[in-house]
Amino acid sequence: MGPIVDLVADLGEGFGTYSMGDDAALLEIVSSANIACGFHAGDPDIMNATVAECVRRGVSIGAHPSFPDLRGFGRRAMDLTADEVRNDVLYQFGALAAFAAYHGAAVVHLAPHGRLGNLVATRPDYARAVADAAARISPDLIVLAQDGELADAAKARQLPVGIVGIADRAYQADGTLVPRSQPGAVIHDPSAIVDRTVRMVCEGVIQTVAGTDLPIVADTILLHGDTPGAVQLARQVRGEVERAGVTIAPLAQVLAAKVEAA
């Protein structure tokens, strides 16, 4: 069997009359969705509509919890305790799970957003808090993370882990992302993004800002939908990945295939 990978995008990230990204177009491209749960974006109407459309299109549903930072879009650090992080994750997951249940579906994975997503890769206390929340929710809940503390904490709890590759973000030599506050943190060249995606999936490496190749396991590729030309780029990424002989499938199917291959 050839390479297999999930394509995921952050969806439902509007609020009230405000919208961000073209969710309808992205849902034609992705196999999974990280859905905002109300703390950095999303409201009940948007969550309901996004879940309903995922179910209609057969796109796998994931919760995208954040710091309670609606004004800062979840991208600012907050001085929360590990218990507060755990409780905030449970609260947000519960909200999305209710909409999924209403539409006859379930939340398949958990993917922390923004600054929380960055910190759980490096802070053991936050990582354990999120992994504890996930394990208490369901032993089958997939934790979506970069290589780091959260992936390790989830594996220690015997949770399934999906490693996310982010082709349009610059990586440091230690495998963490270059902070958005630094120049070059976000890559805008479509050809470079496509090439990085294909290399991640087919070769298992990504080039760092130091110019070295970093080994990476990418079970899913994150396609950002809130940048200019995002939908066209997402279509290009999917097309080139498929032309490279890669199968696109929802995250649970990707992980199951890798277990079977092992």
Side-chain angles (χ1 to χ4, degrees):
M1 181 178 179
I4 181 171
V5 75
D6 174 50
L7 296 181
V8 66
D10 300 340
L11 301 180
E13 291 190 315
F15 190 84
T17 60
Y18 296 95
S19 61
M20 181 175 290
D22 189 344
D23 285 9
L26 284 168
L27 280 167
E28 297 176 355
I29 301 165
V30 300
S31 44
S32 294
N34 298 328
I35 301 178
C37 301
F39 272 29
H40 75 282
D43 60 39
D45 293 332
I46 291 174
M47 291 169 70
N48 177 69
T50 306
V51 168
E53 195 63 13
C54 284
V55 172
R56 188 179 78 82
R57 294 172 181 261
V59 173
S60 183
I61 297 167
H64 203 34
S66 166
F67 281 140
D69 179 28
L70 189 60
R71 187 173 183 179
F73 200 67
R75 288 178 175 163
R76 299 181 296 186
M78 302 185 74
D79 188 19
L80 301 186
T81 67
D83 284 349
E84 288 172 322
V85 167
R86 182 198 64 231
N87 292 339
D88 283 353
V89 168
L90 289 169
Y91 184 94
Q92 293 172 83
F93 185 96
L96 187 67
F99 286 109
Y102 178 81
H103 290 284
V107 180
V108 174
H109 73 265
L110 175 72
H113 163 83
R115 187 58 178 156
L116 176 61
N118 292 335
L119 288 175
V120 293
T122 58
R123 279 191 59 162
D125 58 337
Y126 280 8
R128 287 192 297 269
V130 173
D132 180 57
R136 296 296 185 97
I137 291 167
S138 169
D140 298 321
L141 181 62
I142 300 169
V143 174
L144 199 61
Q146 300 170 56
D147 277 317
E149 293 290 343
L150 178 55
D152 293 343
K155 290 173 184 175
R157 298 297 298 266
Q158 297 184 317
L159 289 162
V161 175
I163 300 298
V164 59
I166 310 176
D168 65 351
R169 290 294 305 276
Y171 280 72
Q172 302 184 106
D174 64 356
T176 60
L177 299 178
V178 174
R180 284 180 176 267
S181 58
Q182 296 184 15
V186 180
I187 298 165
H188 299 286
D189 181 359
S191 62
I193 295 170
V194 170
D195 178 68
R196 287 162 68 85
T197 302
V198 172
R199 291 197 72 204
M200 273 197 291
V201 178
C202 297
E203 300 177 32
V205 296
I206 191 166
Q207 189 177 64
T208 70
V209 290
T212 57
D213 281 345
L214 176 75
I216 184 171
V217 174
D219 299 309
T220 185
I221 301 297
L222 178 61
L223 302 174
H224 284 115
D226 57 352
T227 54
V231 172
Q232 181 179 351
L233 175 59
R235 288 197 183 103
Q236 187 178 351
V237 166
R238 175 157 186 156
E240 290 301 320
V241 166
E242 288 181 322
R243 274 188 281 275
V246 178
T247 299
I248 307 299
L251 185 57
Q253 188 175 330
V254 171
L255 297 184
K258 292 192 172 184
V259 169
E260 185 177 347

